[in-house]
Amino acid sequence: MSRATPSTPPTRQDRRRLELEQRREQRRSAREKPAASPLRSPMVLFTAGALIVGAVIVGIMLLFRPAPPSVADLLPPGHEIPAGAVANGRTLGAADAKVTVEIWSDFQCPACMNFATQLEPLAISGYVVTGKVKLVYRDAAFQGQRYEYDESTEAAAAARCAADQGLFWQMHNWLFANWNGENEGAFAADRLRAIATAAGLNLTTYDSCMASGDQQTAVRNETASGLAAGINQTPTLIINGAKIVGSPNNFADFAMILDQAYAAAP
Amino acid sequence: MITRRVPARPLLGIHPAIILAVLDVIGLLVAGYLSVVELSGDVPSCGIISGCEEVARSPYNNFFGIPVAVFGVVLSVALLSLALAWWKTDIYGLLLGHYALSLVGVIFDGWFLYVQVFIITKVCIWCVTYEVSLLLRFLIALIVYYRQPKPEPV
C-alpha cells in the first residue's frame, strides 16, 4: 500500500507567474470582446426614459398651470349703492336717521349672503335713501376661526381696508356676490385681491393695509366683543337696541320691523 | 438582460428591496392620508407647523381636477409592487424600474416643492415628508444599483 506524497506548496515565484498569466489572459479576452456601448446600458436607457417622462409631466404642469384669479373670474354684484345713500366707513345712511340697524355678519355665512343680496338692497332703496334708516356693519367673523387661514377674518379685514378708502359698501357687495361656500377658498388672499380690484380699491394701499394685520386684529376684537354681548349667530340684527337673531324671511317682514322701529323711535 | 435574475447584495444585512418597500409604505401612508382628507373636501392639519391648508387649497394641488396626493398613492403602490417583486424574484430589471419610476417622482416633486416655496410661499410638511421619502428611495435604488453585481450580457 503506497501512501501519496504531500504536494509541495507553490512558491512565491509560482504564484507570481500564475497572477501574470491570469492578467495576460484578462487583457487578451478584453481585446477580443468588443466594448459595450454605454448608450446600450439598461441603466442609461432607464435614466433617459425617466428624465423624459418627468420632463413631459412637468411640461404639462407648466402648460396647464392655473392663472391667478382675475376680475374676469368674478361675479358682479346684482345691485349698486344708490347715489342717495351716504356712506361713512361701515355706516350707510344719514347720521341722524331715526332707526339704526346694526348688522352683525360674516362674509362667509350663507344666511348673511342671502340677507345682503336679497333684503339689504331693498332696505337701502326704501329706507336708507329716504333718511329713515342707517345701516351699521359689524363683524361677527366666526366661520373661519378654526382654520389656519381664516377666510371670515381676512374677508372682513379686506372690507375694513376698503372702508379706509371710502369703499366699504362696494367691497361688501362684491364680497357677497362672490360668496362660494364656506372655507373653500372663495376668500383666499389672491381672490380677495381680485375682489378689491373689482371694487375699485387702490391695490398698493390695500396690500399694505392687509399686510399690517391691524384690521384682522380689529375684526377679531369686534367678533369677541359681539360674542361677549351674546352675538353668537349670524346674521344678528340690532334694530334700535332690539335684537333679532337670523334674517327676516322676506322683505315684507323686514319692512314691517323697520316701520315699527321708525314709528316707535322718539 | 434586464429579465435576468441576479441575487441581490444585502444592504444593512437585509435584501435592499425590503428597505425600499418600507420607504414605499411610508410614502403610501402619507399620500393616502392626504388623498382621503382632500377627496373628502377637508384640508390636512399641519399641527403647529403652518402651510398645509394653503397648499391643499391651492389650484396647483390639482392635476386635471385630481389632487396631487392621489398620484402619490398610485406612484407609491407601483413602487411598492416593484420592490416586493424584486425581493421575491431578484429580477434585475425590477430594481431598474424602481429606480426609474422614483426618478420620475423626484422630478415631479422638485417641481411641486418649487411651487410651494416660490409660488404658494407655504410649505406643507406632509408633502415634504413624501418628497424626502421619495428622494431616499431614488438614492437608495441608485446606490443599490452600483453595489449590485451586473448580469452578464447574453
Side-chain angles (χ1 to χ4, degrees):
Chain A
M1 206 171 125
S2 68
R3 290 181 66 182
T5 50
S7 58
T8 51
T11 63
R12 184 179 286 177
Q13 272 184 333
D14 289 340
R15 282 204 301 273
R16 180 80 185 137
R17 201 179 303 121
L18 196 65
E19 273 175 24
L20 285 172
E21 191 60 40
Q22 280 174 343
R23 278 187 202 161
R24 228 175 275 133
E25 182 60 35
Q26 279 173 354
R27 272 188 231 121
R28 197 182 304 124
S29 63
R31 271 199 303 274
E32 285 166 3
K33 212 184 280 180
S37 163
L39 289 177
R40 292 184 61 194
S41 149
M43 182 60 165
V44 173
L45 293 175
F46 272 73
T47 305
L51 289 174
I52 290 166
V53 172
V56 167
I57 292 172
V58 172
I60 292 171
M61 296 293 283
L62 279 169
L63 208 60
F64 292 96
R65 72 180 182 276
S70 70
V71 174
D73 303 323
L74 302 173
L75 294 170
H79 57 278
E80 300 274 324
I81 303 296
V86 183
N88 178 18
R90 295 187 297 150
T91 301
L92 189 71
D96 58 352
K98 284 173 75 176
V99 178
T100 300
V101 180
E102 278 183 53
I103 307 163
W104 288 82
S105 178
D106 182 331
F107 285 107
Q108 284 214 95
C109 128
C112 303
M113 184 270 291
N114 283 329
F115 176 77
T117 56
Q118 308 294 323
L119 304 188
E120 214 176 75
L122 297 173
I124 291 170
S125 56
Y127 291 85
V128 173
V129 171
T130 55
K132 291 180 177 174
V133 171
K134 67 173 182 281
L135 307 179
V136 181
Y137 189 92
R138 301 276 186 225
D139 290 316
F142 306 127
Q143 310 252 351
Q145 278 180 338
R146 69 187 179 95
Y147 291 93
E148 194 181 297
Y149 178 87
D150 177 347
E151 289 188 49
S152 294
T153 298
E154 292 297 322
R160 282 170 176 260
C161 289
D164 290 348
Q165 298 186 36
L167 292 167
F168 173 83
W169 291 94
Q170 285 78 358
M171 186 70 175
H172 160 283
N173 288 356
W174 274 94
L175 283 166
F176 278 123
N178 288 280
W179 178 95
N180 188 18
E182 296 157 56
N183 305 306
E184 290 180 5
F187 300 138
D190 49 0
R191 259 181 72 87
L192 281 181
R193 209 165 177 272
I195 291 170
T197 310
L201 271 70
N202 175 311
L203 274 189
T204 311
T205 313
Y206 167 84
D207 284 340
S208 57
C209 175
M210 289 297 279
S212 76
D214 293 346
Q215 298 296 13
Q216 286 87 338
T217 304
V219 172
R220 286 188 200 101
N221 290 342
E222 191 162 80
T223 302
S225 74
L227 264 177
I231 310 289
N232 52 16
Q233 219 174 306
T234 53
T236 293
L237 308 177
I238 310 282
I239 300 175
N240 279 358
K243 185 162 120 179
I244 298 171
V245 178
S247 171
N249 290 328
N250 49 52
F251 184 65
D253 288 357
F254 190 32
M256 193 176 71
I257 295 166
L258 293 177
D259 287 336
Q260 285 171 354
Y262 187 76
Chain B
M1 182 176 165
I2 59 168
T3 55
R4 302 272 293 277
R5 290 167 193 269
V6 183
R9 195 172 154 197
L11 187 65
L12 304 174
I14 52 174
H15 195 298
I18 298 171
I19 299 172
L20 291 174
V22 168
L23 287 168
D24 290 335
V25 169
I26 292 171
L28 182 59
L29 290 174
V30 172
Y33 163 70
L34 289 174
S35 298
V36 168
V37 169
E38 288 172 18
L39 288 173
S40 63
D42 214 337
V43 284
S45 169
C46 262
I48 53 164
I49 307 160
S50 64
C52 293
E53 285 186 12
E54 283 85 349
V55 174
R57 284 193 191 154
S58 161
Y60 286 92
N61 191 38
N62 281 279
F63 193 41
F64 294 111
I66 301 168
V68 166
V70 174
F71 294 98
V73 170
V74 174
L75 181 66
S76 290
V77 168
L79 287 171
L80 182 61
S81 308
L82 286 168
L84 294 177
W86 181 45
W87 181 28
K88 287 293 167 196
T89 63
D90 274 339
I91 292 173
Y92 180 70
L94 295 170
L95 167 65
L96 288 179
H98 195 289
Y99 157 80
L101 204 52
S102 56
L103 177 55
V104 172
V106 165
I107 294 168
F108 177 82
D109 273 351
W111 152 255
F112 197 57
L113 191 60
Y114 166 81
V115 166
Q116 288 177 70
V117 174
F118 294 104
I119 298 176
I120 307 172
T121 64
K122 295 281 178 185
V123 174
C124 157
I125 194 69
W126 289 104
C127 310
V128 172
T129 306
Y130 186 85
E131 282 151 13
V132 169
S133 84
L134 195 55
L135 186 63
L136 279 175
R137 285 177 267 179
F138 165 69
L139 291 174
I140 290 172
L142 187 64
I143 291 165
V144 168
Y145 167 80
Y146 279 110
R147 294 177 78 246
Q148 184 73 5
K150 309 291 179 292
E152 283 298 318
V154 183

